[in-house]
């Protein structure tokens, strides 16, 4: 179900959605007009229960379904894509006269028991008239593992670079589906998800980092790309998402 609440958490609207697979939804697209869910081919593997593993896996040989819900009319359009993928986070959505365009890091395989993953930023294009869905890959983006998109402005998005061995090792900035800047760290791990904050009309990447077994609050100026680190006299546990309150 897709629920709409007001600021006091009163129920305004309820739309029922029938999924084809297990409804494990980590993220979805929400605009003024649409709510969009990607229905990924997740299956239960009962044999994994006896191996002390999380018994859910991605069957990438099955199709992926994309549900586009018009929140005003409550009409649901469902489109099928031949390739089985999983999406944790969405980076952008655009609508043109002829197409729906979804940009997001995609996973071709998922093992929920160890969370080792290789996300590739790709673009799904849905033709409104023919209903044909294409999954567009870009060689530059398929050579790097990036996820956890954070909007810098209306045109640029920040991604964390994922190293399957050590964690987050830097940042990539994209304008649409084009890399405009890579920020790579030496012997430094980003702890959790960064945020973009404007300080005196200048955007900064703010994140926790670990360097030489010491912990810092890091600021990267997105105009000059200079970096300033403030030492933190405590250890910080690594994680995925972060929130900064000023």
């Amino acid at each position: 179900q897709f629920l709409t609440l007001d600021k006091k958490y009163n129920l305004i609207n309820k739309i029922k959605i029938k999924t084809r697979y297990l409804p494990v939804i980590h993220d979805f697209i929400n605009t003024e007009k649409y709510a969009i869910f990607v229905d990924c081919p997740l299956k239960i593997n009962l044999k994994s229960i006896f191996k002390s593993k999380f018994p859910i896996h991605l069957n990438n040989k099955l199709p992926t379904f994309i549900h586009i819900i018009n929140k005003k009319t409550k009409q649901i359009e469902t489109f099928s894509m031949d390739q089985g993928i999983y999406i944790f986070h969405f980076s952008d959505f655009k609508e043109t006269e002829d197409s729906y365009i979804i940009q997001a890091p995609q996973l071709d395989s998922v093992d929920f028991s160890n969370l080792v993953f290789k996300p590739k930023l790709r673009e799904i294009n849905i033709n409104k008239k023919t209903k044909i869905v294409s999954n567009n890959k870009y060689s530059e983006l398929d050579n790097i593992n990036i996820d956890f998109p954070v909007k810098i402005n209306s045109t640029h998005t920040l991604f964390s670079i994922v190293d399957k061995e050590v964690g987050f090792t830097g940042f990539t900035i994209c304008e649409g589906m084009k890399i405009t800047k890579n920020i790579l760290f030496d012997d430094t791990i980003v702890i959790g998800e960064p945020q973009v904050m404007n300080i005196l009309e200048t955007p900064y990447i703010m994140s926790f980092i670990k360097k030489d077994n010491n912990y810092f609050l890091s600021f990267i100026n997105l105009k000059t790309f200079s970096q300033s680190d403030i030492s933190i006299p405590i250890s910080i546990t690594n994680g995925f998402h972060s929130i900064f309150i000023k």
Side-chain angles (χ1 to χ4, degrees), residues 21 41-43 59-65 81-85:
Y21 305 114
L42 297 177
K43 293 291 184 178
N59 187 337
N60 56 21
K61 296 181 180 180
L62 295 176
T64 299
F65 295 94
M81 184 172 73
D82 291 339
Q83 181 186 3
I85 61 166

Side-chain angles (χ1 to χ4, degrees), residues 7 16 18 76 90 97 100 152 170 180 182 231 236-237:
K7 293 181 179 180
K16 290 186 177 181
K18 184 175 179 58
I76 301 174
F90 295 93
E97 183 179 350
Y100 299 113
I152 297 174
T180 59
N182 283 318
S231 178
I236 301 174
T237 304

Side-chain angles (χ1 to χ4, degrees), residues 63-78:
T64 299
F65 295 94
I66 301 165
H67 307 289
I68 299 182
I69 302 101
N70 188 310
K71 295 189 293 186
K72 296 180 180 179
T73 65
K74 297 188 179 181
Q75 291 183 330
I76 301 174
E77 284 188 283
T78 298

Side-chain angles (χ1 to χ4, degrees), residues 179-236:
I179 295 176
T180 59
K181 182 73 174 179
N182 283 318
I183 303 172
L184 303 175
F185 296 138
D186 292 325
D187 301 321
T188 297
I189 301 300
V190 180
I191 301 175
E193 185 180 23
Q195 295 293 325
V196 175
M197 297 190 68
N198 283 293
I199 303 174
L200 300 177
E201 299 184 355
T202 298
Y204 285 82
I205 303 172
M206 187 165 72
S207 63
F208 295 111
I209 62 173
K210 180 182 179 182
K211 179 167 54 178
D212 298 326
N213 290 321
N214 296 307
Y215 297 86
F216 302 86
L217 180 60
S218 178
F219 294 87
I220 298 176
N221 186 313
L222 283 174
K223 291 183 178 179
T224 64
F225 295 101
S226 60
Q227 180 175 347
S228 301
D229 300 330
I230 301 174
S231 178
I232 300 174
I234 58 173
S235 62
I236 301 174

Side-chain angles (χ1 to χ4, degrees), residues 14-225:
K14 180 192 297 185
I15 303 174
K16 290 186 177 181
I17 305 156
K18 184 175 179 58
T19 62
R20 309 296 180 93
Y21 305 114
L22 292 171
V24 182
I25 308 296
H26 186 83
D27 194 10
F28 67 97
I29 298 169
N30 187 41
T31 70
E32 184 177 349
K33 185 177 181 181
Y34 300 111
I36 302 171
F37 299 84
V38 176
D39 192 358
C40 304
L42 297 177
K43 293 291 184 178
I44 296 177
N45 185 354
L46 295 177
K47 293 181 180 179
S48 297
I49 295 177
F50 303 103
K51 298 179 181 179
S52 299
K53 292 184 176 180
F54 197 72
I56 296 178
H57 73 287
L58 174 71
N59 187 337
N60 56 21
K61 296 181 180 180
L62 295 176
T64 299
F65 295 94
I66 301 165
H67 307 289
I68 299 182
I69 302 101
N70 188 310
K71 295 189 293 186
K72 296 180 180 179
T73 65
K74 297 188 179 181
Q75 291 183 330
I76 301 174
E77 284 188 283
T78 298
F79 304 88
S80 175
M81 184 172 73
D82 291 339
Q83 181 186 3
I85 61 166
Y86 189 79
I87 295 176
F88 276 111
H89 309 105
F90 295 93
S91 54
D92 206 357
F93 168 77
K94 301 175 184 177
E95 181 183 13
T96 67
E97 183 179 350
D98 301 320
S99 302
Y100 299 113
I101 300 169
I102 299 171
Q103 297 173 354
Q106 301 178 12
L107 300 177
D108 296 324
S109 62
V110 179
D111 183 354
F112 283 96
S113 63
N114 59 23
L115 292 181
V116 174
F117 55 97
K118 299 177 180 180
K120 309 294 185 181
L121 180 60
R122 295 169 183 159
E123 183 177 80
I124 298 172
N125 191 297
I126 303 171
N127 188 298
K128 292 180 180 179
K129 297 178 181 179
T130 65
K131 312 299 183 184
I132 294 174
V133 180
S134 59
N135 192 19
N136 302 319
K137 301 178 181 180
Y138 299 80
S139 57
E140 182 182 36
L141 292 168
D142 257 31
N143 287 325
I144 188 171
N145 299 326
I146 55 176
D147 207 328
F148 299 89
V150 179
K151 280 289 186 183
I152 297 174
N153 51 41
S154 61
T155 59
H156 290 73
T157 305
L158 175 74
F159 296 86
S160 294
I161 298 174
V162 180
D163 185 301
K164 66 178 183 179
E165 300 295 334
V166 297
F168 304 145
T169 56
F171 304 111
T172 292
I173 298 173
C174 290
E175 182 179 7
M177 302 301 292
K178 180 182 178 181
I179 295 176
T180 59
K181 182 73 174 179
N182 283 318
I183 303 172
L184 303 175
F185 296 138
D186 292 325
D187 301 321
T188 297
I189 301 300
V190 180
I191 301 175
E193 185 180 23
Q195 295 293 325
V196 175
M197 297 190 68
N198 283 293
I199 303 174
L200 300 177
E201 299 184 355
T202 298
Y204 285 82
I205 303 172
M206 187 165 72
S207 63
F208 295 111
I209 62 173
K210 180 182 179 182
K211 179 167 54 178
D212 298 326
N213 290 321
N214 296 307
Y215 297 86
F216 302 86
L217 180 60
S218 178
F219 294 87
I220 298 176
N221 186 313
L222 283 174
K223 291 183 178 179
T224 64
F225 295 101

